[in-house]
Amino acid sequence: MTDAHIQNLIDHAITVSQRAYAPYSGYHVGAALLAEDGQIFTGCNVENATYPAGICAERSALVKAVSEGVRDFTAIAVVTRGGGTPCGICRQMLYEFAPNLRVIIADMNGTIHHDLALKELLPYGFSGSDLRK
Ligand code: THU
């Protein structure tokens, strides 16, 4: 990926973060998931008065993509105001489809805080192959 591709992915994440529904935490998150075929799927966090029912931005983007029949991904950009990293549940959900995913974490100004592999965020991740052992 070129720097321009990365910045474009971050821009998509910033745009969708503005649509976050986060009246309880006030913490807006945007994610832009790049598929192997070049498509970009975006997602924001959507909270709920029953707190655990809410969904994170990363999973929001992932389920949109999978629902559209897309399962192969190369990178995800995640933006928060402070460059926070994806939660454990999102790491696990992403690992299911893309253990080799590149994860770019930035803030709302587009400044990159981390650029790493999902396997670094989730070492020794559990996958379907473990169930067959
Ligand atoms: N959140 C995300 O969207 N992604 C993460 O990986 C971390 C947390 C959301 C969930 C909740 O709406 C808010 O941020 C505060 O936890």
Side-chain angles (χ1 to χ4, degrees), residues 22 25 27 29 45 47 55-58 85-87 90:
S25 71
Y27 191 74
V29 186
N45 52 328
E47 297 183 349
I55 187 169
C56 293
E58 298 90 327
T85 57
C87 81
C90 289

Side-chain angles (χ1 to χ4, degrees), residues 30-88:
L33 183 61
L34 177 64
E36 273 187 358
D37 66 4
Q39 289 189 81
I40 294 173
F41 294 88
T42 60
C44 61
N45 52 328
V46 181
E47 297 183 349
N48 190 275
T50 298
Y51 293 0
I55 187 169
C56 293
E58 298 90 327
R59 278 177 290 145
S60 172
L62 179 68
V63 297
K64 279 171 68 179
V66 174
S67 300
E68 296 299 321
V70 178
R71 296 180 178 177
D72 300 310
F73 310 104
T74 56
I76 189 170
V78 181
V79 302
T80 63
R81 60 180 177 236
T85 57
C87 81

